Amino acid sequence: MATDSHCHLYDLLRYMPEAEIERRRRGVICAASSWNTEDFLYTESLAKKAALDHAPRILLCHAVHPQAPAAINRNPQELLSFFEQLVKENRLNAIGETGFDLFTESLRKTQAVQEELFVVHLDYATSKALPLVLHVRKAMHEVFAYSRQLKRVPSVIFHSWSGTLGEGQSLIKRGVNAFFSFGSSIALNHKEALRSCALLPEDRLLLETDAPYQPLRGNGFSCWADLPLILHTAAAIRLESEEALSLAIDQNFIRAYMRL
Ligand SMILES: [Zn+2]
């Protein structure tokens, strides 16, 4: 078994039409995020088929992505209504990715809308007791501003953790049930991510591909073939065996997403 805490199956299809065969061959259980009707329905159909075939599970995560307001250039109400419908019909395993992306000027212009969306998602995660998957770029201060509310969510998964080691430790200290997910950033030698991955508690770590969006050097897209290198890097900097770390990561995935 292997686990991928964050990927986009619909978007991966463009690069890798045989992705589902590859996922099953590698035995990867994944948490798949979507942000619109078309990609949710596609991902849900794969998840149902996997369940019927007793193949490794696909967990369904959905939210209005923090980049969506800037990308669609209009009010995301339609996307939000669809998200709310899915929550009410109990079709989600987790809510996300939501959060804050203040990386570029055009994204910063939508900060107020991003925050409104985040609050809606956070409220549903609390009332429905669902895990919350966060996308945060240049906005860790916003996360801390909501740390009291985040404590009431069963688990908070920081996809592609972009904070510092101290920020991660502080979230745990504040009582947030936080999980920190690492992908190609550690294999690409990003200093701050390496430091967090090396020193955060083992029972808080997850690994991800963010397929297809975070390729390793020389690749056009990311996918499950990258997981062995990501695991190898994480184990090397933590001075742990790959076997032991892989087992811990899989158990963390189950705790974070399946609340067992
Ligand atoms: Zn993503």
Side-chain angles (χ1 to χ4, degrees), residues 6-8 33 65 97 135 159 208 210-211 213-214:
H6 188 79
C7 61
H8 300 266
S33 283
H65 196 288
E97 56 196 299
H135 167 115
H159 126 66
E208 67 172 68
D210 197 11
Y213 292 114
Q214 295 201 37

CSV table of all heavy atoms in Angstrom, one decimal, residues 6-8 33 65 97 135 159 208 210-211 213-214, ligand 1:
chain,number,residue,atom,x,y,z
A,6,HIS,N,-2.8,14.1,-1.8
A,6,HIS,CA,-3.4,15.2,-2.6
A,6,HIS,C,-3.1,15.0,-4.1
A,6,HIS,O,-1.9,15.0,-4.4
A,6,HIS,CB,-2.9,16.6,-2.1
A,6,HIS,CG,-3.6,17.7,-2.8
A,6,HIS,ND1,-4.8,18.1,-2.4
A,6,HIS,CD2,-3.2,18.5,-3.8
A,6,HIS,CE1,-5.2,19.1,-3.1
A,6,HIS,NE2,-4.3,19.4,-4.0
A,7,CYS,N,-4.1,14.9,-4.9
A,7,CYS,CA,-3.9,14.8,-6.3
A,7,CYS,C,-5.2,15.2,-7.0
A,7,CYS,O,-6.3,15.4,-6.4
A,7,CYS,CB,-3.5,13.4,-6.7
A,7,CYS,SG,-4.8,12.1,-6.3
A,8,HIS,N,-5.1,15.4,-8.3
A,8,HIS,CA,-6.3,15.8,-9.1
A,8,HIS,C,-6.4,14.9,-10.3
A,8,HIS,O,-5.7,15.0,-11.3
A,8,HIS,CB,-6.0,17.2,-9.7
A,8,HIS,CG,-5.8,18.3,-8.6
A,8,HIS,ND1,-6.8,19.0,-8.1
A,8,HIS,CD2,-4.7,18.6,-7.9
A,8,HIS,CE1,-6.4,19.9,-7.2
A,8,HIS,NE2,-5.1,19.6,-7.0
A,33,SER,N,-8.7,15.8,-5.1
A,33,SER,CA,-9.4,17.0,-5.0
A,33,SER,C,-10.0,17.5,-6.3
A,33,SER,O,-9.4,17.2,-7.4
A,33,SER,CB,-8.5,18.1,-4.5
A,33,SER,OG,-8.3,18.0,-3.2
A,65,HIS,N,-11.8,26.2,-5.1
A,65,HIS,CA,-10.3,26.4,-5.0
A,65,HIS,C,-10.1,27.9,-4.8
A,65,HIS,O,-10.7,28.7,-5.4
A,65,HIS,CB,-9.6,25.9,-6.3
A,65,HIS,CG,-8.2,25.8,-6.1
A,65,HIS,ND1,-7.3,26.8,-6.0
A,65,HIS,CD2,-7.4,24.7,-6.0
A,65,HIS,CE1,-6.1,26.4,-5.9
A,65,HIS,NE2,-6.1,25.1,-5.9
A,97,GLU,N,-9.6,21.5,-1.9
A,97,GLU,CA,-8.7,22.3,-1.2
A,97,GLU,C,-9.3,23.7,-1.1
A,97,GLU,O,-9.8,24.3,-2.1
A,97,GLU,CB,-7.3,22.4,-1.8
A,97,GLU,CG,-7.3,22.7,-3.3
A,97,GLU,CD,-6.0,22.4,-4.0
A,97,GLU,OE1,-5.0,22.9,-3.7
A,97,GLU,OE2,-6.1,21.6,-5.0
A,135,HIS,N,-4.9,24.8,1.0
A,135,HIS,CA,-3.9,25.3,0.1
A,135,HIS,C,-3.6,26.7,0.5
A,135,HIS,O,-4.4,27.6,0.6
A,135,HIS,CB,-4.6,25.3,-1.3
A,135,HIS,CG,-3.9,26.1,-2.4
A,135,HIS,ND1,-3.3,25.5,-3.5
A,135,HIS,CD2,-3.6,27.4,-2.5
A,135,HIS,CE1,-2.7,26.4,-4.3
A,135,HIS,NE2,-2.9,27.6,-3.7
A,159,HIS,N,-1.9,20.7,2.5
A,159,HIS,CA,-1.3,20.2,1.2
A,159,HIS,C,-0.1,21.0,0.8
A,159,HIS,O,-0.2,22.3,0.9
A,159,HIS,CB,-2.4,20.1,0.2
A,159,HIS,CG,-2.2,20.7,-1.1
A,159,HIS,ND1,-1.2,20.3,-2.0
A,159,HIS,CD2,-2.7,21.8,-1.7
A,159,HIS,CE1,-1.2,21.1,-3.0
A,159,HIS,NE2,-2.1,22.0,-2.9
A,208,GLU,N,2.5,13.5,-0.9
A,208,GLU,CA,1.6,13.7,-2.0
A,208,GLU,C,2.3,13.9,-3.3
A,208,GLU,O,3.5,14.2,-3.3
A,208,GLU,CB,0.8,15.0,-1.6
A,208,GLU,CG,1.7,16.3,-1.7
A,208,GLU,CD,0.8,17.6,-1.5
A,208,GLU,OE1,0.3,17.8,-0.5
A,208,GLU,OE2,0.8,18.3,-2.5
A,210,ASP,N,0.3,15.9,-5.7
A,210,ASP,CA,-0.4,17.0,-6.3
A,210,ASP,C,-0.5,16.8,-7.8
A,210,ASP,O,-0.5,17.8,-8.6
A,210,ASP,CB,0.3,18.4,-6.0
A,210,ASP,CG,-0.6,19.6,-6.2
A,210,ASP,OD1,-1.8,19.4,-6.4
A,210,ASP,OD2,-0.1,20.7,-6.2
A,211,ALA,N,-0.6,15.6,-8.2
A,211,ALA,CA,-0.6,15.3,-9.7
A,211,ALA,C,-1.8,16.1,-10.3
A,211,ALA,O,-2.8,16.1,-9.7
A,211,ALA,CB,-0.9,13.8,-9.8
A,213,TYR,N,0.3,18.6,-10.9
A,213,TYR,CA,0.8,20.0,-10.9
A,213,TYR,C,2.2,20.3,-10.3
A,213,TYR,O,2.7,21.4,-10.4
A,213,TYR,CB,-0.2,20.9,-10.1
A,213,TYR,CG,-1.5,21.0,-10.9
A,213,TYR,CD1,-2.7,20.5,-10.4
A,213,TYR,CD2,-1.5,21.7,-12.1
A,213,TYR,CE1,-3.8,20.7,-11.2
A,213,TYR,CE2,-2.6,21.8,-12.9
A,213,TYR,CZ,-3.8,21.3,-12.4
A,213,TYR,OH,-4.9,21.4,-13.1
A,214,GLN,N,2.8,19.3,-9.7
A,214,GLN,CA,4.2,19.6,-9.1
A,214,GLN,C,5.2,18.6,-9.6
A,214,GLN,O,5.7,17.7,-8.9
A,214,GLN,CB,4.1,19.5,-7.6
A,214,GLN,CG,3.2,20.7,-7.1
A,214,GLN,CD,3.5,21.0,-5.6
A,214,GLN,OE1,4.6,21.0,-5.1
A,214,GLN,NE2,2.4,21.3,-4.9
B,1,ZN,ZN,-4.0,20.8,-5.6
